[in-house]
Amino acid sequence: MTKSLVLIVDDEPRYLKLLRFNLEQSGYQVITAATGEEAIKAAASRNPDLVLLDLRLPDTDGYEVCQRIREFSTAPIIMVTARAEVVDKVRGLQAGADDYVTKPFSADELLARVETVLRRSRLASDTRVPHSLVIGELAIDFAQRKVTAEGQEVMLSPVEYRLLHCLATNAGRVMTPEEIQERVWGSEYREYYEGLRSHIHRLRQKIEKDPEHPRYVITRHGVGYMLSPQYNPAAKIQPEGEL
C-alpha cells in the first residue's frame, strides 16, 4: 500500500524535526515548507495527501495559505496553532481546514488527528459505495466522488464533500446542526455553529444557481438543514435567513 504523503508547514525547525520524525516513524512520507509561498508551491507540485499547516508563518498567516491551497487542492488540512481560543479554531475551519491541533501537543494526539482525518477522507471517496443521486441539475456520483451542477463538475473540499455526502445520504430528512457536525467533523466540534454555517454557505456557492435562494440545501429554521429530495424549478423559494 502506498504511503500517505504529508506536507508539514512550519518555520520553527524544532517542530519541523519533531513532526517529521513522528510521522516517518509511523510510516508516512514527509515533505516540508517553512513559508506560506513554499507551502503553496509544494502543495501544487507534490499533491500531498494531507497538510499540517502552522498558523504563524514569516510571510503570511496560515488562514491565507489554507484558502489559497483550497483553490486548487482538496487535500485535508490540519491547522497547527498555539492559539487555543474557540474563535481562532472556528476561523480555521471557515478557511477550509478539516481539523486543528494546539501546541504543545503529544505525538500520540498528532498521529491520532492525522489518522482520523485521512480515514474520513478515504471513507468519503470509498468506491464500495455504488449509489448516485440526481436532483434536478445536481448529480452526485458517490462511487467516483464526483459532483456536477448545471452540467459542470464542481470541485469540493473534503469537508464540503463530506457535508454534501451527509445531507445527500439523508435526503428529505432535516438534520440538526449537532447531528451534522458530529457526522462530518466529530463530536468535539458540536458547538461550532458558525463553522457549520460557513461551510453551508460555501457549499451553496458551488452547487446552487442562486445561493441566496437555494433549491437544494434548504434551511428549516429553528431545526436544521436538509437536502431537498425533489427539485421544482417553478417553486418560489424564500431568501435564506439565520437558522
Side-chain angles (χ1 to χ4, degrees):
M1 183 176 179
T2 304
K3 296 180 180 179
S4 295
L5 177 64
V6 179
L7 167 61
I8 306 173
V9 186
D10 200 312
D11 66 329
E12 295 185 52
R14 68 188 185 95
Y15 269 107
L16 276 178
K17 184 177 180 180
L18 174 66
L19 292 170
R20 178 168 214 150
F21 174 80
N22 284 295
L23 288 167
E24 289 181 340
Q25 287 294 305
S26 297
Y28 295 98
Q29 298 182 74
V30 176
I31 55 176
T32 63
T35 68
E37 286 301 317
E38 288 178 8
I40 294 165
K41 291 177 181 178
S45 62
R46 297 297 300 277
N47 192 28
D49 297 295
L50 181 141
V51 180
L52 282 174
L53 176 60
D54 187 55
L55 278 179
R56 296 182 178 179
L57 298 171
D59 55 342
T60 185
D61 65 40
Y63 301 121
E64 175 67 22
V65 175
C66 182
Q67 290 173 336
R68 290 181 61 184
I69 290 176
R70 274 288 164 262
E71 293 176 358
F72 60 83
S73 174
T74 59
I77 297 174
I78 299 178
M79 291 286 198
V80 180
T81 174
R83 305 170 185 172
E85 291 81 6
V86 170
V87 64
D88 294 312
K89 297 170 183 177
V90 170
R91 186 181 173 192
L93 295 174
Q94 291 174 335
D98 296 79
D99 201 353
Y100 68 89
V101 61
T102 304
K103 295 179 180 179
F105 50 80
S106 68
D108 288 341
E109 179 187 5
L110 170 69
L111 293 172
R113 299 277 187 183
V114 169
E115 291 167 4
T116 297
V117 168
L118 283 173
R119 183 169 62 250
R120 288 174 183 166
S121 180
R122 295 187 191 106
L123 287 174
S125 59
D126 194 341
T127 57
R128 292 175 299 174
V129 180
H131 305 292
S132 62
L133 179 66
V134 177
I135 304 172
E137 296 298 319
L138 176 67
I140 309 168
D141 187 326
F142 297 117
Q144 298 186 47
R145 195 179 177 275
K146 181 179 179 180
V147 179
T148 58
E150 304 292 329
Q152 299 294 318
E153 184 171 359
V154 178
M155 302 306 295
L156 300 178
S157 72
V159 170
E160 290 163 352
Y161 179 78
R162 291 202 306 271
L163 177 55
L164 180 59
H165 183 281
C166 176
L167 294 171
T169 52
N170 292 274
R173 182 171 76 84
V174 179
M175 303 184 72
T176 66
E178 295 90 345
E179 184 179 9
I180 294 171
Q181 290 178 149
E182 184 164 359
R183 292 193 182 194
V184 176
W185 287 280
S187 59
E188 63 268 36
Y189 297 104
R190 293 180 67 179
E191 73 273 24
Y192 296 158
Y193 296 112
E194 292 302 324
L196 175 59
R197 290 193 186 101
S198 175
H199 284 290
I200 289 286
H201 173 76
R202 290 163 65 107
L203 180 61
R204 283 173 172 155
Q205 292 293 320
K206 294 184 178 183
I207 69 171
E208 299 278 3
K209 187 174 183 179
D210 182 357
E212 296 302 317
H213 300 79
R215 295 180 182 273
Y216 300 119
V217 180
I218 307 300
T219 300
R220 290 290 180 251
H221 299 290
V223 183
Y225 300 98
M226 175 186 74
L227 187 73
S228 176
Q230 297 180 331
Y231 177 79
N232 181 2
K236 294 182 179 180
I237 304 298
Q238 296 298 317
E240 281 294 304
E242 292 296 325
L243 180 62

